[in-house]
Structures are given as C-alpha cells and as structure tokens.
Amino acid sequence: MTVDLEVRILPEPGRRDRREAQGRDREGASEGSVHAAQRYVQEGRRIVVDVDLEKFFDRVNHDVLMEKLARGLADKRVLGLIRRYLQSGVMVNGVLLDEVDKELEKRGHALVRYADDGRVFVHTRRAGERVLNHLRKLYSKLQLRINEAKSAVARAWDRDFLGYSMWVGPSKVVRLRVAKKGPSRR
C-alpha cells in the first residue's frame, strides 16, 4: 500500500503568499524566479548578492527545522510524521529558509529564491557586502554554511541564474539569454 501525503503551511489569512511576490509559483517556478530577478535589475538593483549554501540538503539540522515547524503546528502527530519523513531523506527547504526570507523582506530587500538558490538584488556593491555579512549571521543561526567559493557580490549580468544571464539591450532594457555555461555558476 502506498500513501501520498502533502503537508502545507498556509500563509496567515489576508496575507499574500510570499512565493508569488518572489516569482515562486507552482507552474514554471524557475521561469518566475528568473523574470522576478530581471524585473529587479530593470528597476535599478543591478548588484546581486549570490549566495550558495554549502551542501544544504546534507547539512540541515533536523532539530532546528522541527523547532521552526513546531511554532506553527500544534498537532504532535503531524510533527512526528514530518520528523520521520525527514529522517527518511525527504526535505522541505522552504520551512527552514523562510525565516531568512522574512528577515530580508522586513529590511526591504528584493529577494528571489528557487529551492536553496537565493539572490538578493541591491543598488550598490557596499549594500551588497552588508547584506552578505548579514546573511552569514542568519545562516549561522540555522547551522548552515555559505559556500564562499561560489557566493559573491557582483553585477547582475556577471552571474548566471538558473541557466540564464542578463544583458542590457537597446533603450537600457534588461534582457535575458541562455547562459553560456548552462545552469552552473561562474
């Protein structure tokens, strides 16, 4: 017998689901993220804080994740079921990274996330360095490490995102093209 289970943590009533604001919809999620990034760059946020989490799915501390889930779930049976899923290798990254996303949004940053791949778009390199330092602290609290070799503060068109790169076309319109190196980072 096979049992399929889907557990959803719904946004508070009256609040817009943040995934929509960040370009993370169910259908075409990566395309939505890429277009949200393009929109931020077009708005003038041309510096990107590109953060790669080191072995994210291997390093997630299940106790930290369960603590975050317990804040929103009262049913201990559901929590026990989720823990068993985690121990069997099933992972839901959105729950753990949600706290980081909320903190960045609270500070007014333009964030795009696709799975564990996060980008923050800012106006200046100095602001980008401040955001990266803040992210180091936030991820450290969650017992996650940033892969410093793959992470950077750079101009948006110098970093590929989900297989695309950006360039500025005629009339200063930000355009997308398939990245030369494919989905990997520079």
Side-chain angles (χ1 to χ4, degrees), residues 51 53 64 68 96-107 109 111 113 120 130-146:
V51 177
L53 294 175
V64 172
K68 307 252 179 265
L96 193 59
L97 299 178
D98 191 55
E99 185 174 303
V100 174
D101 294 353
K102 284 180 181 177
E103 177 66 24
L104 291 170
E105 288 175 353
K106 184 171 78 174
R107 292 172 173 249
H109 292 302
L111 167 71
R113 179 176 303 288
V120 182
R130 283 194 307 265
V131 169
L132 183 56
N133 286 331
H134 185 64
L135 285 170
R136 284 184 182 109
K137 292 174 189 170
L138 290 173
Y139 287 132
S140 176
K141 287 180 186 176
L142 297 174
Q143 299 178 14
L144 297 172
R145 287 190 213 149
I146 292 177

PDB file of all heavy atoms in Angstrom, residues 51 53 64 68 96-107 109 111 113 120 130-146:
ATOM      1  N   VAL A  51      24.131  33.865  -3.218  1.00  0.00           N
ATOM      2  CA  VAL A  51      24.519  33.022  -2.088  1.00  0.00           C
ATOM      3  C   VAL A  51      24.282  31.557  -2.417  1.00  0.00           C
ATOM      4  O   VAL A  51      23.187  31.166  -2.812  1.00  0.00           O
ATOM      5  CB  VAL A  51      23.722  33.411  -0.825  1.00  0.00           C
ATOM      6  CG1 VAL A  51      24.064  32.504   0.331  1.00  0.00           C
ATOM      7  CG2 VAL A  51      23.986  34.855  -0.459  1.00  0.00           C
ATOM      8  N   LEU A  53      24.474  27.893  -0.627  1.00  0.00           N
ATOM      9  CA  LEU A  53      24.602  27.208   0.656  1.00  0.00           C
ATOM     10  C   LEU A  53      25.376  25.911   0.456  1.00  0.00           C
ATOM     11  O   LEU A  53      25.068  25.117  -0.430  1.00  0.00           O
ATOM     12  CB  LEU A  53      23.228  26.932   1.254  1.00  0.00           C
ATOM     13  CG  LEU A  53      22.452  28.178   1.647  1.00  0.00           C
ATOM     14  CD1 LEU A  53      21.054  27.816   2.105  1.00  0.00           C
ATOM     15  CD2 LEU A  53      23.190  28.946   2.721  1.00  0.00           C
ATOM     16  N   VAL A  64      16.648  21.875  14.374  1.00  0.00           N
ATOM     17  CA  VAL A  64      16.356  23.285  14.107  1.00  0.00           C
ATOM     18  C   VAL A  64      15.093  23.390  13.251  1.00  0.00           C
ATOM     19  O   VAL A  64      14.204  24.196  13.517  1.00  0.00           O
ATOM     20  CB  VAL A  64      17.552  23.974  13.408  1.00  0.00           C
ATOM     21  CG1 VAL A  64      17.182  25.376  12.951  1.00  0.00           C
ATOM     22  CG2 VAL A  64      18.763  24.019  14.337  1.00  0.00           C
ATOM     23  N   LYS A  68      11.267  25.062  14.208  1.00  0.00           N
ATOM     24  CA  LYS A  68      10.578  26.079  13.402  1.00  0.00           C
ATOM     25  C   LYS A  68       9.169  25.602  13.038  1.00  0.00           C
ATOM     26  O   LYS A  68       8.223  26.366  13.077  1.00  0.00           O
ATOM     27  CB  LYS A  68      11.361  26.388  12.135  1.00  0.00           C
ATOM     28  CG  LYS A  68      12.781  26.760  12.395  1.00  0.00           C
ATOM     29  CD  LYS A  68      13.002  28.209  12.163  1.00  0.00           C
ATOM     30  CE  LYS A  68      14.434  28.585  12.449  1.00  0.00           C
ATOM     31  NZ  LYS A  68      14.640  29.086  13.781  1.00  0.00           N
ATOM     32  N   LEU A  96      12.768  26.021   6.472  1.00  0.00           N
ATOM     33  CA  LEU A  96      13.963  26.495   7.152  1.00  0.00           C
ATOM     34  C   LEU A  96      14.419  27.848   6.622  1.00  0.00           C
ATOM     35  O   LEU A  96      14.778  28.739   7.386  1.00  0.00           O
ATOM     36  CB  LEU A  96      15.086  25.471   6.996  1.00  0.00           C
ATOM     37  CG  LEU A  96      16.302  25.662   7.882  1.00  0.00           C
ATOM     38  CD1 LEU A  96      15.899  25.637   9.345  1.00  0.00           C
ATOM     39  CD2 LEU A  96      17.312  24.566   7.611  1.00  0.00           C
ATOM     40  N   LEU A  97      14.387  28.028   5.321  1.00  0.00           N
ATOM     41  CA  LEU A  97      14.865  29.274   4.725  1.00  0.00           C
ATOM     42  C   LEU A  97      13.832  30.399   4.822  1.00  0.00           C
ATOM     43  O   LEU A  97      14.153  31.555   4.569  1.00  0.00           O
ATOM     44  CB  LEU A  97      15.256  29.038   3.269  1.00  0.00           C
ATOM     45  CG  LEU A  97      16.388  28.018   3.085  1.00  0.00           C
ATOM     46  CD1 LEU A  97      16.674  27.818   1.617  1.00  0.00           C
ATOM     47  CD2 LEU A  97      17.632  28.432   3.835  1.00  0.00           C
ATOM     48  N   ASP A  98      12.616  30.060   5.204  1.00  0.00           N
ATOM     49  CA  ASP A  98      11.546  31.048   5.327  1.00  0.00           C
ATOM     50  C   ASP A  98      11.913  32.162   6.305  1.00  0.00           C
ATOM     51  O   ASP A  98      11.618  33.327   6.071  1.00  0.00           O
ATOM     52  CB  ASP A  98      10.263  30.344   5.765  1.00  0.00           C
ATOM     53  CG  ASP A  98       9.058  31.236   5.654  1.00  0.00           C
ATOM     54  OD1 ASP A  98       8.827  31.761   4.550  1.00  0.00           O
ATOM     55  OD2 ASP A  98       8.354  31.401   6.665  1.00  0.00           O
ATOM     56  N   GLU A  99      12.575  31.812   7.394  1.00  0.00           N
ATOM     57  CA  GLU A  99      12.960  32.807   8.398  1.00  0.00           C
ATOM     58  C   GLU A  99      13.935  33.829   7.808  1.00  0.00           C
ATOM     59  O   GLU A  99      13.821  35.026   8.062  1.00  0.00           O
ATOM     60  CB  GLU A  99      13.600  32.099   9.589  1.00  0.00           C
ATOM     61  CG  GLU A  99      13.922  33.013  10.741  1.00  0.00           C
ATOM     62  CD  GLU A  99      14.418  32.234  11.938  1.00  0.00           C
ATOM     63  OE1 GLU A  99      13.695  31.337  12.410  1.00  0.00           O
ATOM     64  OE2 GLU A  99      15.525  32.542  12.400  1.00  0.00           O
ATOM     65  N   VAL A 100      14.880  33.356   7.003  1.00  0.00           N
ATOM     66  CA  VAL A 100      15.835  34.249   6.350  1.00  0.00           C
ATOM     67  C   VAL A 100      15.099  35.157   5.371  1.00  0.00           C
ATOM     68  O   VAL A 100      15.330  36.368   5.332  1.00  0.00           O
ATOM     69  CB  VAL A 100      16.938  33.447   5.639  1.00  0.00           C
ATOM     70  CG1 VAL A 100      17.851  34.354   4.833  1.00  0.00           C
ATOM     71  CG2 VAL A 100      17.747  32.639   6.653  1.00  0.00           C
ATOM     72  N   ASP A 101      14.201  34.576   4.584  1.00  0.00           N
ATOM     73  CA  ASP A 101      13.435  35.360   3.607  1.00  0.00           C
ATOM     74  C   ASP A 101      12.634  36.459   4.294  1.00  0.00           C
ATOM     75  O   ASP A 101      12.596  37.602   3.827  1.00  0.00           O
ATOM     76  CB  ASP A 101      12.491  34.451   2.811  1.00  0.00           C
ATOM     77  CG  ASP A 101      13.222  33.457   1.938  1.00  0.00           C
ATOM     78  OD1 ASP A 101      14.465  33.541   1.838  1.00  0.00           O
ATOM     79  OD2 ASP A 101      12.548  32.586   1.365  1.00  0.00           O
ATOM     80  N   LYS A 102      11.983  36.124   5.398  1.00  0.00           N
ATOM     81  CA  LYS A 102      11.179  37.112   6.123  1.00  0.00           C
ATOM     82  C   LYS A 102      12.041  38.255   6.637  1.00  0.00           C
ATOM     83  O   LYS A 102      11.651  39.417   6.580  1.00  0.00           O
ATOM     84  CB  LYS A 102      10.441  36.455   7.293  1.00  0.00           C
ATOM     85  CG  LYS A 102       9.246  35.636   6.877  1.00  0.00           C
ATOM     86  CD  LYS A 102       8.583  35.018   8.082  1.00  0.00           C
ATOM     87  CE  LYS A 102       7.404  34.168   7.685  1.00  0.00           C
ATOM     88  NZ  LYS A 102       6.782  33.509   8.843  1.00  0.00           N
ATOM     89  N   GLU A 103      13.220  37.926   7.149  1.00  0.00           N
ATOM     90  CA  GLU A 103      14.123  38.957   7.659  1.00  0.00           C
ATOM     91  C   GLU A 103      14.568  39.888   6.532  1.00  0.00           C
ATOM     92  O   GLU A 103      14.615  41.104   6.697  1.00  0.00           O
ATOM     93  CB  GLU A 103      15.343  38.309   8.325  1.00  0.00           C
ATOM     94  CG  GLU A 103      16.379  39.293   8.816  1.00  0.00           C
ATOM     95  CD  GLU A 103      15.909  40.172   9.956  1.00  0.00           C
ATOM     96  OE1 GLU A 103      14.977  39.790  10.687  1.00  0.00           O
ATOM     97  OE2 GLU A 103      16.487  41.273  10.119  1.00  0.00           O
ATOM     98  N   LEU A 104      14.886  39.325   5.373  1.00  0.00           N
ATOM     99  CA  LEU A 104      15.300  40.152   4.239  1.00  0.00           C
ATOM    100  C   LEU A 104      14.152  41.036   3.753  1.00  0.00           C
ATOM    101  O   LEU A 104      14.355  42.210   3.435  1.00  0.00           O
ATOM    102  CB  LEU A 104      15.806  39.272   3.101  1.00  0.00           C
ATOM    103  CG  LEU A 104      17.131  38.556   3.372  1.00  0.00           C
ATOM    104  CD1 LEU A 104      17.409  37.521   2.295  1.00  0.00           C
ATOM    105  CD2 LEU A 104      18.269  39.549   3.494  1.00  0.00           C
ATOM    106  N   GLU A 105      12.946  40.487   3.698  1.00  0.00           N
ATOM    107  CA  GLU A 105      11.785  41.270   3.284  1.00  0.00           C
ATOM    108  C   GLU A 105      11.489  42.386   4.271  1.00  0.00           C
ATOM    109  O   GLU A 105      11.132  43.490   3.881  1.00  0.00           O
ATOM    110  CB  GLU A 105      10.567  40.365   3.135  1.00  0.00           C
ATOM    111  CG  GLU A 105      10.657  39.482   1.922  1.00  0.00           C
ATOM    112  CD  GLU A 105       9.509  38.491   1.847  1.00  0.00           C
ATOM    113  OE1 GLU A 105       8.716  38.392   2.811  1.00  0.00           O
ATOM    114  OE2 GLU A 105       9.411  37.820   0.819  1.00  0.00           O
ATOM    115  N   LYS A 106      11.649  42.088   5.560  1.00  0.00           N
ATOM    116  CA  LYS A 106      11.414  43.090   6.592  1.00  0.00           C
ATOM    117  C   LYS A 106      12.350  44.283   6.393  1.00  0.00           C
ATOM    118  O   LYS A 106      11.982  45.422   6.643  1.00  0.00           O
ATOM    119  CB  LYS A 106      11.628  42.461   7.972  1.00  0.00           C
ATOM    120  CG  LYS A 106      11.312  43.371   9.134  1.00  0.00           C
ATOM    121  CD  LYS A 106      11.343  42.619  10.449  1.00  0.00           C
ATOM    122  CE  LYS A 106      12.776  42.412  10.878  1.00  0.00           C
ATOM    123  NZ  LYS A 106      12.893  41.802  12.216  1.00  0.00           N
ATOM    124  N   ARG A 107      13.546  44.022   5.905  1.00  0.00           N
ATOM    125  CA  ARG A 107      14.530  45.083   5.650  1.00  0.00           C
ATOM    126  C   ARG A 107      14.340  45.731   4.280  1.00  0.00           C
ATOM    127  O   ARG A 107      15.118  46.589   3.895  1.00  0.00           O
ATOM    128  CB  ARG A 107      15.938  44.509   5.767  1.00  0.00           C
ATOM    129  CG  ARG A 107      16.292  44.113   7.173  1.00  0.00           C
ATOM    130  CD  ARG A 107      17.616  43.371   7.217  1.00  0.00           C
ATOM    131  NE  ARG A 107      18.017  43.144   8.575  1.00  0.00           N
ATOM    132  CZ  ARG A 107      19.054  43.724   9.168  1.00  0.00           C
ATOM    133  NH1 ARG A 107      19.805  44.569   8.488  1.00  0.00           N
ATOM    134  NH2 ARG A 107      19.355  43.462  10.407  1.00  0.00           N
ATOM    135  N   HIS A 109      14.534  44.288   1.224  1.00  0.00           N
ATOM    136  CA  HIS A 109      15.394  43.796   0.147  1.00  0.00           C
ATOM    137  C   HIS A 109      14.585  43.062  -0.919  1.00  0.00           C
ATOM    138  O   HIS A 109      13.555  42.458  -0.634  1.00  0.00           O
ATOM    139  CB  HIS A 109      16.471  42.861   0.702  1.00  0.00           C
ATOM    140  CG  HIS A 109      17.467  43.561   1.553  1.00  0.00           C
ATOM    141  ND1 HIS A 109      18.235  44.610   1.104  1.00  0.00           N
ATOM    142  CD2 HIS A 109      17.811  43.380   2.848  1.00  0.00           C
ATOM    143  CE1 HIS A 109      19.017  45.032   2.075  1.00  0.00           C
ATOM    144  NE2 HIS A 109      18.775  44.306   3.152  1.00  0.00           N
ATOM    145  N   LEU A 111      14.295  40.009  -3.019  1.00  0.00           N
ATOM    146  CA  LEU A 111      14.778  38.637  -2.900  1.00  0.00           C
ATOM    147  C   LEU A 111      14.142  37.746  -3.952  1.00  0.00           C
ATOM    148  O   LEU A 111      12.946  37.843  -4.208  1.00  0.00           O
ATOM    149  CB  LEU A 111      14.428  38.099  -1.505  1.00  0.00           C
ATOM    150  CG  LEU A 111      14.571  36.603  -1.274  1.00  0.00           C
ATOM    151  CD1 LEU A 111      16.035  36.213  -1.231  1.00  0.00           C
ATOM    152  CD2 LEU A 111      13.872  36.204   0.015  1.00  0.00           C
ATOM    153  N   ARG A 113      14.227  33.523  -4.674  1.00  0.00           N
ATOM    154  CA  ARG A 113      14.734  32.227  -4.227  1.00  0.00           C
ATOM    155  C   ARG A 113      14.115  31.139  -5.093  1.00  0.00           C
ATOM    156  O   ARG A 113      12.927  31.161  -5.392  1.00  0.00           O
ATOM    157  CB  ARG A 113      14.387  31.969  -2.768  1.00  0.00           C
ATOM    158  CG  ARG A 113      14.907  30.604  -2.309  1.00  0.00           C
ATOM    159  CD  ARG A 113      14.672  30.329  -0.856  1.00  0.00           C
ATOM    160  NE  ARG A 113      15.236  31.316   0.034  1.00  0.00           N
ATOM    161  CZ  ARG A 113      16.527  31.473   0.289  1.00  0.00           C
ATOM    162  NH1 ARG A 113      17.407  30.734  -0.323  1.00  0.00           N
ATOM    163  NH2 ARG A 113      16.928  32.398   1.128  1.00  0.00           N
ATOM    164  N   VAL A 120      19.762  38.224  -3.710  1.00  0.00           N
ATOM    165  CA  VAL A 120      19.250  39.476  -3.183  1.00  0.00           C
ATOM    166  C   VAL A 120      19.774  40.569  -4.103  1.00  0.00           C
ATOM    167  O   VAL A 120      20.975  40.631  -4.381  1.00  0.00           O
ATOM    168  CB  VAL A 120      19.716  39.728  -1.733  1.00  0.00           C
ATOM    169  CG1 VAL A 120      19.122  41.034  -1.204  1.00  0.00           C
ATOM    170  CG2 VAL A 120      19.329  38.561  -0.836  1.00  0.00           C
ATOM    171  N   ARG A 130      27.121  44.424   2.839  1.00  0.00           N
ATOM    172  CA  ARG A 130      26.410  44.430   4.124  1.00  0.00           C
ATOM    173  C   ARG A 130      25.388  43.295   4.182  1.00  0.00           C
ATOM    174  O   ARG A 130      25.262  42.600   5.192  1.00  0.00           O
ATOM    175  CB  ARG A 130      25.713  45.774   4.348  1.00  0.00           C
ATOM    176  CG  ARG A 130      26.639  46.880   4.780  1.00  0.00           C
ATOM    177  CD  ARG A 130      25.872  48.086   5.320  1.00  0.00           C
ATOM    178  NE  ARG A 130      24.850  48.582   4.409  1.00  0.00           N
ATOM    179  CZ  ARG A 130      25.021  49.579   3.545  1.00  0.00           C
ATOM    180  NH1 ARG A 130      26.170  50.198   3.464  1.00  0.00           N
ATOM    181  NH2 ARG A 130      24.024  49.965   2.772  1.00  0.00           N
ATOM    182  N   VAL A 131      24.651  43.095   3.084  1.00  0.00           N
ATOM    183  CA  VAL A 131      23.648  42.019   3.042  1.00  0.00           C
ATOM    184  C   VAL A 131      24.328  40.664   3.170  1.00  0.00           C
ATOM    185  O   VAL A 131      23.863  39.795   3.910  1.00  0.00           O
ATOM    186  CB  VAL A 131      22.810  42.101   1.742  1.00  0.00           C
ATOM    187  CG1 VAL A 131      21.963  40.849   1.567  1.00  0.00           C
ATOM    188  CG2 VAL A 131      21.928  43.336   1.753  1.00  0.00           C
ATOM    189  N   LEU A 132      25.435  40.460   2.472  1.00  0.00           N
ATOM    190  CA  LEU A 132      26.144  39.179   2.548  1.00  0.00           C
ATOM    191  C   LEU A 132      26.614  38.905   3.973  1.00  0.00           C
ATOM    192  O   LEU A 132      26.470  37.780   4.483  1.00  0.00           O
ATOM    193  CB  LEU A 132      27.323  39.155   1.572  1.00  0.00           C
ATOM    194  CG  LEU A 132      28.105  37.847   1.501  1.00  0.00           C
ATOM    195  CD1 LEU A 132      27.204  36.663   1.156  1.00  0.00           C
ATOM    196  CD2 LEU A 132      29.245  37.961   0.498  1.00  0.00           C
ATOM    197  N   ASN A 133      27.143  39.906   4.652  1.00  0.00           N
ATOM    198  CA  ASN A 133      27.565  39.722   6.048  1.00  0.00           C
ATOM    199  C   ASN A 133      26.382  39.385   6.942  1.00  0.00           C
ATOM    200  O   ASN A 133      26.483  38.547   7.835  1.00  0.00           O
ATOM    201  CB  ASN A 133      28.289  40.967   6.557  1.00  0.00           C
ATOM    202  CG  ASN A 133      29.674  41.092   5.970  1.00  0.00           C
ATOM    203  OD1 ASN A 133      30.319  40.097   5.639  1.00  0.00           O
ATOM    204  ND2 ASN A 133      30.147  42.318   5.817  1.00  0.00           N
ATOM    205  N   HIS A 134      25.250  40.044   6.692  1.00  0.00           N
ATOM    206  CA  HIS A 134      24.043  39.748   7.472  1.00  0.00           C
ATOM    207  C   HIS A 134      23.564  38.317   7.204  1.00  0.00           C
ATOM    208  O   HIS A 134      23.162  37.610   8.136  1.00  0.00           O
ATOM    209  CB  HIS A 134      22.948  40.771   7.140  1.00  0.00           C
ATOM    210  CG  HIS A 134      21.730  40.629   7.974  1.00  0.00           C
ATOM    211  ND1 HIS A 134      21.729  40.820   9.337  1.00  0.00           N
ATOM    212  CD2 HIS A 134      20.455  40.304   7.647  1.00  0.00           C
ATOM    213  CE1 HIS A 134      20.518  40.609   9.812  1.00  0.00           C
ATOM    214  NE2 HIS A 134      19.728  40.299   8.810  1.00  0.00           N
ATOM    215  N   LEU A 135      23.629  37.895   5.952  1.00  0.00           N
ATOM    216  CA  LEU A 135      23.220  36.529   5.619  1.00  0.00           C
ATOM    217  C   LEU A 135      24.127  35.492   6.288  1.00  0.00           C
ATOM    218  O   LEU A 135      23.647  34.431   6.710  1.00  0.00           O
ATOM    219  CB  LEU A 135      23.233  36.321   4.101  1.00  0.00           C
ATOM    220  CG  LEU A 135      22.071  36.964   3.354  1.00  0.00           C
ATOM    221  CD1 LEU A 135      22.304  36.905   1.849  1.00  0.00           C
ATOM    222  CD2 LEU A 135      20.761  36.294   3.720  1.00  0.00           C
ATOM    223  N   ARG A 136      25.401  35.783   6.386  1.00  0.00           N
ATOM    224  CA  ARG A 136      26.312  34.861   7.083  1.00  0.00           C
ATOM    225  C   ARG A 136      25.831  34.628   8.511  1.00  0.00           C
ATOM    226  O   ARG A 136      25.820  33.502   9.002  1.00  0.00           O
ATOM    227  CB  ARG A 136      27.733  35.420   7.095  1.00  0.00           C
ATOM    228  CG  ARG A 136      28.454  35.303   5.778  1.00  0.00           C
ATOM    229  CD  ARG A 136      29.904  35.797   5.898  1.00  0.00           C
ATOM    230  NE  ARG A 136      30.555  35.728   4.619  1.00  0.00           N
ATOM    231  CZ  ARG A 136      30.889  36.783   3.885  1.00  0.00           C
ATOM    232  NH1 ARG A 136      30.634  38.012   4.327  1.00  0.00           N
ATOM    233  NH2 ARG A 136      31.481  36.636   2.724  1.00  0.00           N
ATOM    234  N   LYS A 137      25.420  35.716   9.187  1.00  0.00           N
ATOM    235  CA  LYS A 137      24.936  35.601  10.570  1.00  0.00           C
ATOM    236  C   LYS A 137      23.623  34.822  10.634  1.00  0.00           C
ATOM    237  O   LYS A 137      23.439  33.960  11.488  1.00  0.00           O
ATOM    238  CB  LYS A 137      24.763  36.983  11.177  1.00  0.00           C
ATOM    239  CG  LYS A 137      26.057  37.720  11.394  1.00  0.00           C
ATOM    240  CD  LYS A 137      25.806  39.142  11.859  1.00  0.00           C
ATOM    241  CE  LYS A 137      27.111  39.931  11.853  1.00  0.00           C
ATOM    242  NZ  LYS A 137      26.876  41.363  12.076  1.00  0.00           N
ATOM    243  N   LEU A 138      22.696  35.142   9.718  1.00  0.00           N
ATOM    244  CA  LEU A 138      21.395  34.465   9.721  1.00  0.00           C
ATOM    245  C   LEU A 138      21.542  32.969   9.465  1.00  0.00           C
ATOM    246  O   LEU A 138      20.941  32.147  10.157  1.00  0.00           O
ATOM    247  CB  LEU A 138      20.471  35.081   8.668  1.00  0.00           C
ATOM    248  CG  LEU A 138      19.966  36.495   8.937  1.00  0.00           C
ATOM    249  CD1 LEU A 138      19.205  37.028   7.726  1.00  0.00           C
ATOM    250  CD2 LEU A 138      19.074  36.513  10.175  1.00  0.00           C
ATOM    251  N   TYR A 139      22.331  32.613   8.462  1.00  0.00           N
ATOM    252  CA  TYR A 139      22.523  31.196   8.144  1.00  0.00           C
ATOM    253  C   TYR A 139      23.276  30.477   9.257  1.00  0.00           C
ATOM    254  O   TYR A 139      23.020  29.308   9.531  1.00  0.00           O
ATOM    255  CB  TYR A 139      23.233  31.027   6.808  1.00  0.00           C
ATOM    256  CG  TYR A 139      22.350  31.340   5.617  1.00  0.00           C
ATOM    257  CD1 TYR A 139      22.802  32.163   4.586  1.00  0.00           C
ATOM    258  CD2 TYR A 139      21.064  30.821   5.515  1.00  0.00           C
ATOM    259  CE1 TYR A 139      21.995  32.456   3.499  1.00  0.00           C
ATOM    260  CE2 TYR A 139      20.253  31.108   4.438  1.00  0.00           C
ATOM    261  CZ  TYR A 139      20.725  31.921   3.429  1.00  0.00           C
ATOM    262  OH  TYR A 139      19.922  32.204   2.360  1.00  0.00           O
ATOM    263  N   SER A 140      24.186  31.169   9.901  1.00  0.00           N
ATOM    264  CA  SER A 140      24.930  30.572  11.010  1.00  0.00           C
ATOM    265  C   SER A 140      23.982  30.173  12.139  1.00  0.00           C
ATOM    266  O   SER A 140      24.134  29.113  12.743  1.00  0.00           O
ATOM    267  CB  SER A 140      25.976  31.565  11.513  1.00  0.00           C
ATOM    268  OG  SER A 140      26.627  31.048  12.637  1.00  0.00           O
ATOM    269  N   LYS A 141      22.984  31.027  12.416  1.00  0.00           N
ATOM    270  CA  LYS A 141      21.997  30.699  13.450  1.00  0.00           C
ATOM    271  C   LYS A 141      21.218  29.431  13.112  1.00  0.00           C
ATOM    272  O   LYS A 141      20.747  28.725  13.994  1.00  0.00           O
ATOM    273  CB  LYS A 141      21.013  31.860  13.632  1.00  0.00           C
ATOM    274  CG  LYS A 141      21.606  33.050  14.325  1.00  0.00           C
ATOM    275  CD  LYS A 141      20.571  34.148  14.455  1.00  0.00           C
ATOM    276  CE  LYS A 141      21.190  35.411  15.014  1.00  0.00           C
ATOM    277  NZ  LYS A 141      20.211  36.520  15.052  1.00  0.00           N
ATOM    278  N   LEU A 142      21.075  29.166  11.817  1.00  0.00           N
ATOM    279  CA  LEU A 142      20.360  27.962  11.374  1.00  0.00           C
ATOM    280  C   LEU A 142      21.312  26.780  11.189  1.00  0.00           C
ATOM    281  O   LEU A 142      20.914  25.734  10.684  1.00  0.00           O
ATOM    282  CB  LEU A 142      19.634  28.249  10.054  1.00  0.00           C
ATOM    283  CG  LEU A 142      18.556  29.321  10.119  1.00  0.00           C
ATOM    284  CD1 LEU A 142      18.027  29.625   8.730  1.00  0.00           C
ATOM    285  CD2 LEU A 142      17.436  28.893  11.054  1.00  0.00           C
ATOM    286  N   GLN A 143      22.565  26.987  11.569  1.00  0.00           N
ATOM    287  CA  GLN A 143      23.614  25.977  11.451  1.00  0.00           C
ATOM    288  C   GLN A 143      23.852  25.577   9.998  1.00  0.00           C
ATOM    289  O   GLN A 143      24.081  24.411   9.679  1.00  0.00           O
ATOM    290  CB  GLN A 143      23.298  24.762  12.325  1.00  0.00           C
ATOM    291  CG  GLN A 143      23.206  25.132  13.791  1.00  0.00           C
ATOM    292  CD  GLN A 143      22.837  23.964  14.673  1.00  0.00           C
ATOM    293  OE1 GLN A 143      22.879  22.820  14.267  1.00  0.00           O
ATOM    294  NE2 GLN A 143      22.478  24.266  15.906  1.00  0.00           N
ATOM    295  N   LEU A 144      23.786  26.574   9.108  1.00  0.00           N
ATOM    296  CA  LEU A 144      24.074  26.370   7.690  1.00  0.00           C
ATOM    297  C   LEU A 144      25.300  27.189   7.330  1.00  0.00           C
ATOM    298  O   LEU A 144      25.562  28.229   7.925  1.00  0.00           O
ATOM    299  CB  LEU A 144      22.889  26.813   6.829  1.00  0.00           C
ATOM    300  CG  LEU A 144      21.590  26.057   7.034  1.00  0.00           C
ATOM    301  CD1 LEU A 144      20.462  26.732   6.274  1.00  0.00           C
ATOM    302  CD2 LEU A 144      21.753  24.614   6.586  1.00  0.00           C
ATOM    303  N   ARG A 145      26.048  26.717   6.330  1.00  0.00           N
ATOM    304  CA  ARG A 145      27.251  27.420   5.898  1.00  0.00           C
ATOM    305  C   ARG A 145      27.097  27.919   4.471  1.00  0.00           C
ATOM    306  O   ARG A 145      26.558  27.225   3.616  1.00  0.00           O
ATOM    307  CB  ARG A 145      28.462  26.487   5.932  1.00  0.00           C
ATOM    308  CG  ARG A 145      28.940  26.182   7.306  1.00  0.00           C
ATOM    309  CD  ARG A 145      30.275  25.474   7.212  1.00  0.00           C
ATOM    310  NE  ARG A 145      30.377  24.537   8.314  1.00  0.00           N
ATOM    311  CZ  ARG A 145      31.031  23.411   8.270  1.00  0.00           C
ATOM    312  NH1 ARG A 145      31.650  23.048   7.182  1.00  0.00           N
ATOM    313  NH2 ARG A 145      31.091  22.633   9.315  1.00  0.00           N
ATOM    314  N   ILE A 146      27.643  29.108   4.234  1.00  0.00           N
ATOM    315  CA  ILE A 146      27.692  29.658   2.880  1.00  0.00           C
ATOM    316  C   ILE A 146      28.944  29.133   2.208  1.00  0.00           C
ATOM    317  O   ILE A 146      30.033  29.145   2.793  1.00  0.00           O
ATOM    318  CB  ILE A 146      27.704  31.204   2.928  1.00  0.00           C
ATOM    319  CG1 ILE A 146      26.355  31.724   3.438  1.00  0.00           C
ATOM    320  CG2 ILE A 146      28.028  31.787   1.562  1.00  0.00           C
ATOM    321  CD1 ILE A 146      26.283  33.221   3.589  1.00  0.00           C
TER     322      ILE A 146
END
